[in-house]
Amino acid sequence: MKKQTIDSRPAGPKPWYDPRVRSIFFQVVAIALVFWGGWTLVDNTLSNMESRGISTGFGFLEESAGFGIIMHLVPYDATMSYGRTFWVGLTNTLLVSAMGVVAATILGFVLGVARLSSNWLVAKISLVYIEVIRNIPLLLQIFFWYFAVLSNLPSPRQSVDVGGTLFLNNRGLYLPEPLTQDGFGLVWGGVLAAIAAVIGIRIWAKKRQLATGQIFPTFKVGVAILVLVPIVSYLVAGRPLEWEIPALKGFNFGGGITIIPELAALWIALSLYTASFIAEIVRSGILSVSKGQTEASKALGLPHGLTLRLVVIPQAMRVIIPPLTSQYLNLVKNSSLATAIGYPDLVAVFMGTTLNQTGQAVEVVAMTMAVYLTISLLISLFMNIYNRAVAIKER
């Protein structure tokens, strides 16, 4: 006698009714459409370039550029290649971005804290600054600093002289340039040793505080180490450092370090503009901390400065860091407005002059876009790592 087996399991939904199957299907279709659209775009572009006799590839990077650049952090002259112009523009972009991030962060934190000050005048000055600066277009502010302020400085012969070593005129700010001599490696060794010592003391002080409750003056000791150790290393090495003082030669100054007006105008405008947004981010972060935390710290007898530094700011950083990252990204991207006043950043030098001379639009634009994408992703990566490191870990 045959036994009949009956499958008691309920029949599953048909594939086109299964949300998971439909999700995978539509994602595959979307990816296929994106690749098809990209391939069509590339194929049409190459066909059009070939019909117009425009060669493709990156061989143009080895050709001689034939034009000068007013500011370069890497060695450069007009006989060098277009590839070198790429590096010149990239380093100039990184320079003004790094300077802007540092200045905007410091100024933004100061303004954000001042905005919540109990002093009426300080709070109102901060409020007026934020509301005025962040509501004026950045390009207009760059023009203001470049054409209305820096261009009206005196000529080189009537330069503002500060102690015979620093000169300011409408062609830039001229500073003494340090020239290292033999034996300066000992000074670098002293600097690295001082930094390592400060990090070690900070770790030890934190463990000591957790174990005993006693606070070690890490900041004062750290500053003393960072100042004294390099000075002692410098004296022991026989003072292996000389200064090149800028001097007026003909119609302009020569020697020393020159900060051109284009860099100064762009840096000031980017810093002031971004700082106004960072100030609001800092203010909102501080206000997000429960008022009971402040009242509890005051009840323990902590002064206002320590309450802010040890209780409020560490908790506010959870709210501050994500939007702060966005402001850093905006600052880097806004630096491309440099082309409006002639600062030789990546867009002006590479996507401007180099593209016009070579006609390699696809390659030049693709490289420029890849650079900004890489910088943005790296900033986001480092800020996420920092955010994870300073996050409050609940027990």
Side-chain angles (χ1 to χ4, degrees):
M1 184 176 180
K2 293 183 179 178
K3 294 183 178 179
Q4 294 182 348
T5 57
I6 299 175
D7 190 0
S8 60
R9 292 178 299 178
K14 294 181 179 180
W16 49 86
Y17 292 131
D18 189 341
R20 190 179 60 178
V21 174
R22 284 189 302 180
S23 173
I24 295 174
F25 172 75
F26 284 119
Q27 289 183 53
V28 170
V29 171
I31 292 174
L33 287 175
V34 169
F35 274 100
W36 177 78
W39 171 252
T40 303
L41 181 64
V42 172
D43 186 56
N44 285 340
T45 303
L46 294 177
S47 300
N48 291 333
M49 293 176 67
E50 184 178 0
S51 63
R52 295 180 183 180
I54 300 175
S55 61
T56 58
F58 294 93
F60 73 96
L61 293 175
E62 299 178 358
E63 298 175 5
S64 176
F67 64 90
I69 300 175
I70 59 173
M71 174 183 163
H72 46 83
L73 300 179
V74 295
Y76 176 80
D77 60 54
T79 62
M80 293 187 175
S81 64
Y82 288 117
R84 177 65 67 156
T85 65
F86 171 80
W87 290 111
V88 171
L90 175 60
T91 52
N92 287 343
T93 293
L94 293 176
L95 173 66
V96 72
S97 299
M99 294 169 61
V101 165
V102 173
T105 303
I106 296 173
L107 182 60
F109 269 78
V110 172
L111 288 170
V113 174
R115 179 77 175 80
L116 298 172
S117 173
S118 57
N119 186 306
W120 183 87
L121 182 60
V122 172
K124 293 305 176 185
I125 289 176
S126 177
L127 171 64
V128 170
Y129 170 88
I130 293 170
E131 295 301 329
V132 170
I133 297 297
R134 74 172 179 172
N135 288 302
I136 296 177
L138 176 58
L139 184 59
L140 188 59
Q141 295 189 38
I142 294 174
F143 284 154
F144 169 77
W145 286 105
Y146 185 65
F147 293 110
V149 178
L150 299 181
S151 295
N152 289 319
L153 290 173
S155 62
R157 292 188 180 278
Q158 286 77 38
S159 297
V160 178
D161 185 349
V162 180
T165 58
L166 187 149
F167 304 92
L168 177 65
N169 56 55
N170 58 9
R171 296 189 181 181
L173 176 64
Y174 297 85
L175 305 168
E177 181 180 4
L179 302 175
T180 58
Q181 308 297 319
D182 293 338
F184 196 78
L186 183 61
V187 180
W188 285 119
V191 172
L192 295 176
I195 294 174
V198 170
I199 294 174
I201 289 176
R202 180 175 175 77
I203 295 173
W204 169 79
K206 191 173 183 179
K207 292 181 178 178
R208 178 173 176 265
Q209 183 178 353
L210 291 175
T212 64
Q214 298 178 354
I215 300 176
F216 186 78
T218 308
F219 180 76
K220 295 179 181 177
V221 174
V223 170
I225 292 175
L226 289 175
V227 173
L228 293 178
V229 172
I231 291 177
V232 172
S233 304
Y234 175 73
L235 296 176
V236 171
R239 301 181 179 182
L241 187 66
E242 294 183 356
W243 294 88
E244 183 184 25
I245 307 299
L248 185 61
K249 299 175 182 176
F251 296 102
N252 200 3
F253 281 85
I257 298 175
T258 305
I259 299 178
I260 59 176
E262 291 81 5
L263 171 61
L266 183 64
W267 178 39
I268 295 172
L270 283 174
S271 303
L272 296 181
Y273 182 74
T274 308
S276 63
F277 291 91
I278 293 178
E280 284 298 273
I281 293 171
V282 172
R283 184 178 71 89
S284 62
I286 293 175
L287 291 178
S288 70
V289 179
S290 171
K291 196 174 181 180
Q293 298 284 324
T294 306
E295 293 173 346
S297 60
K298 288 182 179 178
L300 292 174
L302 284 178
H304 181 70
L306 285 179
T307 299
L308 196 63
R309 185 164 61 88
L310 300 178
V311 178
V312 177
I313 293 295
Q315 298 183 74
M317 291 302 286
R318 292 179 299 175
V319 178
I320 292 174
I321 290 177
L324 185 64
T325 305
S326 298
Q327 291 305 318
Y328 288 166
L329 299 180
N330 287 336
L331 188 147
V332 174
K333 288 182 284 188
N334 287 337
S335 69
S336 61
L337 293 174
T339 189
I341 57 174
Y343 175 70
D345 76 325
L346 184 64
V347 174
V349 172
F350 194 63
M351 212 175 75
T353 308
T354 300
L355 190 153
N356 288 331
Q357 289 191 0
T358 62
Q360 303 290 331
V362 176
E363 294 84 355
V364 170
V365 173
M367 290 176 65
T368 306
M369 291 171 65
V371 166
Y372 280 100
L373 176 63
T374 303
I375 294 174
S376 297
L377 292 177
L378 288 176
I379 291 175
S380 180
L381 173 65
F382 289 132
M383 290 301 291
N384 284 330
I385 293 174
Y386 177 70
N387 189 25
R388 190 174 303 172
V390 300
I392 296 177
K393 300 173 179 60
E394 298 181 357
R395 299 176 180 174

